[in-house]
Amino acid sequence: MRHHAPRLRWVAPLLLLAATACSTARLSPWGSMEPRDPGGTRAAVQLIAHADDLARRGQTRAALAAYERVLREHPGDPAGAAALYGLGRLQADPAGGLRSYRAAQRAFSRLLADYPESRWEAEARTWQAVIGDLLAREAEGARLKEEAVRLRTQIEQLRRTDLDLERRR
């Protein structure tokens, strides 16, 4: 059982994220039971709704472009918080094809810095914590793989040395 513990450490942060996501009463990552009101200009709000719809239909690249367009064409608009939240979620989604935890973390960090009192503040902080943990685990996994390669190389060198010594006897 002790052998499996390191593999299961990621479960707790994901359960925390799931509990937080469930508490928002959303039906899907980009849908909600209540009308979504990101605030801001009408054009920005409509573009957010379009991006949310694209994300809901699995058109992640188009949704990403629409969220980025809101940020580019409507700088400082309150709808930017919704755009950053949507961007972060698209980039954190392992099944969406755009997964980049670093990019997601940047989106959530920017949301918290630029819109500290948005309705997504608590969720953005939770996402940041979970993504930070995932990035740390990925780095640890990469380090362990490098260590395993180094050890295999050393074992092979020792095996060859042992064979050479046996031949000399």
mmCIF file with all atom_site columns, all heavy atoms in Angstrom, residues 3-20:
data_model
loop_
_atom_site.group_PDB
_atom_site.id
_atom_site.type_symbol
_atom_site.label_atom_id
_atom_site.label_alt_id
_atom_site.label_comp_id
_atom_site.label_asym_id
_atom_site.label_entity_id
_atom_site.label_seq_id
_atom_site.pdbx_PDB_ins_code
_atom_site.Cartn_x
_atom_site.Cartn_y
_atom_site.Cartn_z
_atom_site.occupancy
_atom_site.B_iso_or_equiv
_atom_site.pdbx_formal_charge
_atom_site.auth_seq_id
_atom_site.auth_comp_id
_atom_site.auth_asym_id
_atom_site.auth_atom_id
_atom_site.pdbx_PDB_model_num
ATOM 1   N N   . HIS A 1 3  ? 3.590   1.709  -1.425  1.00 0.00 ? 3  HIS A N   1
ATOM 2   C CA  . HIS A 1 3  ? 4.118   1.908  -2.764  1.00 0.00 ? 3  HIS A CA  1
ATOM 3   C C   . HIS A 1 3  ? 3.170   2.748  -3.624  1.00 0.00 ? 3  HIS A C   1
ATOM 4   O O   . HIS A 1 3  ? 3.595   3.501  -4.469  1.00 0.00 ? 3  HIS A O   1
ATOM 5   C CB  . HIS A 1 3  ? 4.372   0.551  -3.406  1.00 0.00 ? 3  HIS A CB  1
ATOM 6   C CG  . HIS A 1 3  ? 4.858   0.638  -4.819  1.00 0.00 ? 3  HIS A CG  1
ATOM 7   N ND1 . HIS A 1 3  ? 6.095   1.137  -5.139  1.00 0.00 ? 3  HIS A ND1 1
ATOM 8   C CD2 . HIS A 1 3  ? 4.247   0.315  -5.988  1.00 0.00 ? 3  HIS A CD2 1
ATOM 9   C CE1 . HIS A 1 3  ? 6.242   1.112  -6.454  1.00 0.00 ? 3  HIS A CE1 1
ATOM 10  N NE2 . HIS A 1 3  ? 5.136   0.614  -6.990  1.00 0.00 ? 3  HIS A NE2 1
ATOM 11  N N   . HIS A 1 4  ? 1.871   2.646  -3.407  1.00 0.00 ? 4  HIS A N   1
ATOM 12  C CA  . HIS A 1 4  ? 0.883   3.355  -4.207  1.00 0.00 ? 4  HIS A CA  1
ATOM 13  C C   . HIS A 1 4  ? 0.609   4.769  -3.702  1.00 0.00 ? 4  HIS A C   1
ATOM 14  O O   . HIS A 1 4  ? 0.022   5.560  -4.420  1.00 0.00 ? 4  HIS A O   1
ATOM 15  C CB  . HIS A 1 4  ? -0.437  2.591  -4.240  1.00 0.00 ? 4  HIS A CB  1
ATOM 16  C CG  . HIS A 1 4  ? -0.293  1.249  -4.897  1.00 0.00 ? 4  HIS A CG  1
ATOM 17  N ND1 . HIS A 1 4  ? -0.121  1.126  -6.256  1.00 0.00 ? 4  HIS A ND1 1
ATOM 18  C CD2 . HIS A 1 4  ? -0.271  0.004  -4.384  1.00 0.00 ? 4  HIS A CD2 1
ATOM 19  C CE1 . HIS A 1 4  ? -0.023  -0.160 -6.553  1.00 0.00 ? 4  HIS A CE1 1
ATOM 20  N NE2 . HIS A 1 4  ? -0.107  -0.859 -5.435  1.00 0.00 ? 4  HIS A NE2 1
ATOM 21  N N   . ALA A 1 5  ? 1.021   5.109  -2.516  1.00 0.00 ? 5  ALA A N   1
ATOM 22  C CA  . ALA A 1 5  ? 0.719   6.417  -1.929  1.00 0.00 ? 5  ALA A CA  1
ATOM 23  C C   . ALA A 1 5  ? 1.204   7.588  -2.779  1.00 0.00 ? 5  ALA A C   1
ATOM 24  O O   . ALA A 1 5  ? 0.456   8.535  -2.988  1.00 0.00 ? 5  ALA A O   1
ATOM 25  C CB  . ALA A 1 5  ? 1.279   6.508  -0.513  1.00 0.00 ? 5  ALA A CB  1
ATOM 26  N N   . PRO A 1 6  ? 2.434   7.584  -3.331  1.00 0.00 ? 6  PRO A N   1
ATOM 27  C CA  . PRO A 1 6  ? 2.853   8.734  -4.135  1.00 0.00 ? 6  PRO A CA  1
ATOM 28  C C   . PRO A 1 6  ? 1.977   8.957  -5.367  1.00 0.00 ? 6  PRO A C   1
ATOM 29  O O   . PRO A 1 6  ? 1.763   10.075 -5.777  1.00 0.00 ? 6  PRO A O   1
ATOM 30  C CB  . PRO A 1 6  ? 4.287   8.396  -4.542  1.00 0.00 ? 6  PRO A CB  1
ATOM 31  C CG  . PRO A 1 6  ? 4.761   7.426  -3.523  1.00 0.00 ? 6  PRO A CG  1
ATOM 32  C CD  . PRO A 1 6  ? 3.534   6.657  -3.111  1.00 0.00 ? 6  PRO A CD  1
ATOM 33  N N   . ARG A 1 7  ? 1.472   7.889  -5.950  1.00 0.00 ? 7  ARG A N   1
ATOM 34  C CA  . ARG A 1 7  ? 0.624   8.033  -7.128  1.00 0.00 ? 7  ARG A CA  1
ATOM 35  C C   . ARG A 1 7  ? -0.736  8.625  -6.781  1.00 0.00 ? 7  ARG A C   1
ATOM 36  O O   . ARG A 1 7  ? -1.394  9.181  -7.624  1.00 0.00 ? 7  ARG A O   1
ATOM 37  C CB  . ARG A 1 7  ? 0.423   6.686  -7.787  1.00 0.00 ? 7  ARG A CB  1
ATOM 38  C CG  . ARG A 1 7  ? 1.664   6.173  -8.455  1.00 0.00 ? 7  ARG A CG  1
ATOM 39  C CD  . ARG A 1 7  ? 1.335   4.927  -9.218  1.00 0.00 ? 7  ARG A CD  1
ATOM 40  N NE  . ARG A 1 7  ? 2.474   4.043  -9.119  1.00 0.00 ? 7  ARG A NE  1
ATOM 41  C CZ  . ARG A 1 7  ? 2.426   2.749  -9.280  1.00 0.00 ? 7  ARG A CZ  1
ATOM 42  N NH1 . ARG A 1 7  ? 1.293   2.167  -9.561  1.00 0.00 ? 7  ARG A NH1 1
ATOM 43  N NH2 . ARG A 1 7  ? 3.510   2.021  -9.181  1.00 0.00 ? 7  ARG A NH2 1
ATOM 44  N N   . LEU A 1 8  ? -1.183  8.453  -5.558  1.00 0.00 ? 8  LEU A N   1
ATOM 45  C CA  . LEU A 1 8  ? -2.514  8.907  -5.173  1.00 0.00 ? 8  LEU A CA  1
ATOM 46  C C   . LEU A 1 8  ? -2.520  10.295 -4.535  1.00 0.00 ? 8  LEU A C   1
ATOM 47  O O   . LEU A 1 8  ? -3.579  10.808 -4.218  1.00 0.00 ? 8  LEU A O   1
ATOM 48  C CB  . LEU A 1 8  ? -3.136  7.896  -4.199  1.00 0.00 ? 8  LEU A CB  1
ATOM 49  C CG  . LEU A 1 8  ? -3.339  6.496  -4.777  1.00 0.00 ? 8  LEU A CG  1
ATOM 50  C CD1 . LEU A 1 8  ? -3.882  5.569  -3.712  1.00 0.00 ? 8  LEU A CD1 1
ATOM 51  C CD2 . LEU A 1 8  ? -4.260  6.528  -5.972  1.00 0.00 ? 8  LEU A CD2 1
ATOM 52  N N   . ARG A 1 9  ? -1.382  10.923 -4.398  1.00 0.00 ? 9  ARG A N   1
ATOM 53  C CA  . ARG A 1 9  ? -1.326  12.239 -3.753  1.00 0.00 ? 9  ARG A CA  1
ATOM 54  C C   . ARG A 1 9  ? -2.067  13.312 -4.521  1.00 0.00 ? 9  ARG A C   1
ATOM 55  O O   . ARG A 1 9  ? -2.490  14.295 -3.964  1.00 0.00 ? 9  ARG A O   1
ATOM 56  C CB  . ARG A 1 9  ? 0.127   12.670 -3.564  1.00 0.00 ? 9  ARG A CB  1
ATOM 57  C CG  . ARG A 1 9  ? 0.802   11.914 -2.480  1.00 0.00 ? 9  ARG A CG  1
ATOM 58  C CD  . ARG A 1 9  ? 2.160   12.494 -2.204  1.00 0.00 ? 9  ARG A CD  1
ATOM 59  N NE  . ARG A 1 9  ? 2.857   11.625 -1.293  1.00 0.00 ? 9  ARG A NE  1
ATOM 60  C CZ  . ARG A 1 9  ? 4.148   11.479 -1.255  1.00 0.00 ? 9  ARG A CZ  1
ATOM 61  N NH1 . ARG A 1 9  ? 4.914   12.169 -2.048  1.00 0.00 ? 9  ARG A NH1 1
ATOM 62  N NH2 . ARG A 1 9  ? 4.705   10.655 -0.410  1.00 0.00 ? 9  ARG A NH2 1
ATOM 63  N N   . TRP A 1 10 ? -2.228  13.150 -5.808  1.00 0.00 ? 10 TRP A N   1
ATOM 64  C CA  . TRP A 1 10 ? -2.913  14.148 -6.632  1.00 0.00 ? 10 TRP A CA  1
ATOM 65  C C   . TRP A 1 10 ? -4.420  14.095 -6.454  1.00 0.00 ? 10 TRP A C   1
ATOM 66  O O   . TRP A 1 10 ? -5.124  15.001 -6.864  1.00 0.00 ? 10 TRP A O   1
ATOM 67  C CB  . TRP A 1 10 ? -2.545  13.971 -8.092  1.00 0.00 ? 10 TRP A CB  1
ATOM 68  C CG  . TRP A 1 10 ? -2.877  12.614 -8.622  1.00 0.00 ? 10 TRP A CG  1
ATOM 69  C CD1 . TRP A 1 10 ? -2.055  11.526 -8.611  1.00 0.00 ? 10 TRP A CD1 1
ATOM 70  C CD2 . TRP A 1 10 ? -4.102  12.188 -9.199  1.00 0.00 ? 10 TRP A CD2 1
ATOM 71  N NE1 . TRP A 1 10 ? -2.699  10.452 -9.151  1.00 0.00 ? 10 TRP A NE1 1
ATOM 72  C CE2 . TRP A 1 10 ? -3.964  10.826 -9.523  1.00 0.00 ? 10 TRP A CE2 1
ATOM 73  C CE3 . TRP A 1 10 ? -5.311  12.822 -9.469  1.00 0.00 ? 10 TRP A CE3 1
ATOM 74  C CZ2 . TRP A 1 10 ? -4.983  10.101 -10.095 1.00 0.00 ? 10 TRP A CZ2 1
ATOM 75  C CZ3 . TRP A 1 10 ? -6.320  12.083 -10.048 1.00 0.00 ? 10 TRP A CZ3 1
ATOM 76  C CH2 . TRP A 1 10 ? -6.156  10.747 -10.357 1.00 0.00 ? 10 TRP A CH2 1
ATOM 77  N N   . VAL A 1 11 ? -4.943  13.048 -5.821  1.00 0.00 ? 11 VAL A N   1
ATOM 78  C CA  . VAL A 1 11 ? -6.387  12.890 -5.686  1.00 0.00 ? 11 VAL A CA  1
ATOM 79  C C   . VAL A 1 11 ? -6.983  13.967 -4.778  1.00 0.00 ? 11 VAL A C   1
ATOM 80  O O   . VAL A 1 11 ? -8.018  14.545 -5.097  1.00 0.00 ? 11 VAL A O   1
ATOM 81  C CB  . VAL A 1 11 ? -6.727  11.479 -5.152  1.00 0.00 ? 11 VAL A CB  1
ATOM 82  C CG1 . VAL A 1 11 ? -8.205  11.367 -4.841  1.00 0.00 ? 11 VAL A CG1 1
ATOM 83  C CG2 . VAL A 1 11 ? -6.315  10.433 -6.168  1.00 0.00 ? 11 VAL A CG2 1
ATOM 84  N N   . ALA A 1 12 ? -6.332  14.267 -3.668  1.00 0.00 ? 12 ALA A N   1
ATOM 85  C CA  . ALA A 1 12 ? -6.881  15.245 -2.725  1.00 0.00 ? 12 ALA A CA  1
ATOM 86  C C   . ALA A 1 12 ? -7.076  16.617 -3.361  1.00 0.00 ? 12 ALA A C   1
ATOM 87  O O   . ALA A 1 12 ? -8.159  17.205 -3.234  1.00 0.00 ? 12 ALA A O   1
ATOM 88  C CB  . ALA A 1 12 ? -5.998  15.338 -1.484  1.00 0.00 ? 12 ALA A CB  1
ATOM 89  N N   . PRO A 1 13 ? -6.075  17.161 -4.087  1.00 0.00 ? 13 PRO A N   1
ATOM 90  C CA  . PRO A 1 13 ? -6.323  18.460 -4.712  1.00 0.00 ? 13 PRO A CA  1
ATOM 91  C C   . PRO A 1 13 ? -7.448  18.425 -5.748  1.00 0.00 ? 13 PRO A C   1
ATOM 92  O O   . PRO A 1 13 ? -8.221  19.364 -5.857  1.00 0.00 ? 13 PRO A O   1
ATOM 93  C CB  . PRO A 1 13 ? -4.992  18.808 -5.382  1.00 0.00 ? 13 PRO A CB  1
ATOM 94  C CG  . PRO A 1 13 ? -3.977  17.950 -4.730  1.00 0.00 ? 13 PRO A CG  1
ATOM 95  C CD  . PRO A 1 13 ? -4.695  16.743 -4.234  1.00 0.00 ? 13 PRO A CD  1
ATOM 96  N N   . LEU A 1 14 ? -7.557  17.332 -6.487  1.00 0.00 ? 14 LEU A N   1
ATOM 97  C CA  . LEU A 1 14 ? -8.624  17.247 -7.473  1.00 0.00 ? 14 LEU A CA  1
ATOM 98  C C   . LEU A 1 14 ? -9.989  17.147 -6.812  1.00 0.00 ? 14 LEU A C   1
ATOM 99  O O   . LEU A 1 14 ? -10.962 17.715 -7.307  1.00 0.00 ? 14 LEU A O   1
ATOM 100 C CB  . LEU A 1 14 ? -8.391  16.069 -8.404  1.00 0.00 ? 14 LEU A CB  1
ATOM 101 C CG  . LEU A 1 14 ? -7.202  16.230 -9.363  1.00 0.00 ? 14 LEU A CG  1
ATOM 102 C CD1 . LEU A 1 14 ? -7.049  15.000 -10.233 1.00 0.00 ? 14 LEU A CD1 1
ATOM 103 C CD2 . LEU A 1 14 ? -7.346  17.464 -10.212 1.00 0.00 ? 14 LEU A CD2 1
ATOM 104 N N   . LEU A 1 15 ? -10.070 16.442 -5.676  1.00 0.00 ? 15 LEU A N   1
ATOM 105 C CA  . LEU A 1 15 ? -11.333 16.382 -4.943  1.00 0.00 ? 15 LEU A CA  1
ATOM 106 C C   . LEU A 1 15 ? -11.714 17.756 -4.418  1.00 0.00 ? 15 LEU A C   1
ATOM 107 O O   . LEU A 1 15 ? -12.885 18.147 -4.449  1.00 0.00 ? 15 LEU A O   1
ATOM 108 C CB  . LEU A 1 15 ? -11.246 15.369 -3.802  1.00 0.00 ? 15 LEU A CB  1
ATOM 109 C CG  . LEU A 1 15 ? -11.200 13.902 -4.234  1.00 0.00 ? 15 LEU A CG  1
ATOM 110 C CD1 . LEU A 1 15 ? -10.997 13.001 -3.021  1.00 0.00 ? 15 LEU A CD1 1
ATOM 111 C CD2 . LEU A 1 15 ? -12.449 13.515 -4.983  1.00 0.00 ? 15 LEU A CD2 1
ATOM 112 N N   . LEU A 1 16 ? -10.723 18.518 -3.955  1.00 0.00 ? 16 LEU A N   1
ATOM 113 C CA  . LEU A 1 16 ? -10.973 19.882 -3.490  1.00 0.00 ? 16 LEU A CA  1
ATOM 114 C C   . LEU A 1 16 ? -11.504 20.730 -4.636  1.00 0.00 ? 16 LEU A C   1
ATOM 115 O O   . LEU A 1 16 ? -12.471 21.467 -4.486  1.00 0.00 ? 16 LEU A O   1
ATOM 116 C CB  . LEU A 1 16 ? -9.685  20.501 -2.933  1.00 0.00 ? 16 LEU A CB  1
ATOM 117 C CG  . LEU A 1 16 ? -9.757  21.967 -2.537  1.00 0.00 ? 16 LEU A CG  1
ATOM 118 C CD1 . LEU A 1 16 ? -10.730 22.156 -1.381  1.00 0.00 ? 16 LEU A CD1 1
ATOM 119 C CD2 . LEU A 1 16 ? -8.379  22.475 -2.161  1.00 0.00 ? 16 LEU A CD2 1
ATOM 120 N N   . LEU A 1 17 ? -10.896 20.608 -5.796  1.00 0.00 ? 17 LEU A N   1
ATOM 121 C CA  . LEU A 1 17 ? -11.345 21.355 -6.967  1.00 0.00 ? 17 LEU A CA  1
ATOM 122 C C   . LEU A 1 17 ? -12.762 20.945 -7.344  1.00 0.00 ? 17 LEU A C   1
ATOM 123 O O   . LEU A 1 17 ? -13.605 21.787 -7.637  1.00 0.00 ? 17 LEU A O   1
ATOM 124 C CB  . LEU A 1 17 ? -10.395 21.132 -8.136  1.00 0.00 ? 17 LEU A CB  1
ATOM 125 C CG  . LEU A 1 17 ? -10.770 21.871 -9.420  1.00 0.00 ? 17 LEU A CG  1
ATOM 126 C CD1 . LEU A 1 17 ? -10.718 23.364 -9.176  1.00 0.00 ? 17 LEU A CD1 1
ATOM 127 C CD2 . LEU A 1 17 ? -9.812  21.488 -10.516 1.00 0.00 ? 17 LEU A CD2 1
ATOM 128 N N   . ALA A 1 18 ? -13.041 19.655 -7.328  1.00 0.00 ? 18 ALA A N   1
ATOM 129 C CA  . ALA A 1 18 ? -14.374 19.180 -7.678  1.00 0.00 ? 18 ALA A CA  1
ATOM 130 C C   . ALA A 1 18 ? -15.418 19.704 -6.701  1.00 0.00 ? 18 ALA A C   1
ATOM 131 O O   . ALA A 1 18 ? -16.501 20.123 -7.095  1.00 0.00 ? 18 ALA A O   1
ATOM 132 C CB  . ALA A 1 18 ? -14.396 17.654 -7.707  1.00 0.00 ? 18 ALA A CB  1
ATOM 133 N N   . ALA A 1 19 ? -15.088 19.691 -5.423  1.00 0.00 ? 19 ALA A N   1
ATOM 134 C CA  . ALA A 1 19 ? -16.017 20.210 -4.427  1.00 0.00 ? 19 ALA A CA  1
ATOM 135 C C   . ALA A 1 19 ? -16.286 21.686 -4.640  1.00 0.00 ? 19 ALA A C   1
ATOM 136 O O   . ALA A 1 19 ? -17.418 22.156 -4.533  1.00 0.00 ? 19 ALA A O   1
ATOM 137 C CB  . ALA A 1 19 ? -15.474 19.973 -3.018  1.00 0.00 ? 19 ALA A CB  1
ATOM 138 N N   . THR A 1 20 ? -15.247 22.433 -4.971  1.00 0.00 ? 20 THR A N   1
ATOM 139 C CA  . THR A 1 20 ? -15.415 23.857 -5.234  1.00 0.00 ? 20 THR A CA  1
ATOM 140 C C   . THR A 1 20 ? -16.255 24.069 -6.476  1.00 0.00 ? 20 THR A C   1
ATOM 141 O O   . THR A 1 20 ? -17.144 24.915 -6.498  1.00 0.00 ? 20 THR A O   1
ATOM 142 C CB  . THR A 1 20 ? -14.047 24.541 -5.409  1.00 0.00 ? 20 THR A CB  1
ATOM 143 O OG1 . THR A 1 20 ? -13.291 24.325 -4.230  1.00 0.00 ? 20 THR A OG1 1
ATOM 144 C CG2 . THR A 1 20 ? -14.194 26.026 -5.638  1.00 0.00 ? 20 THR A CG2 1
#
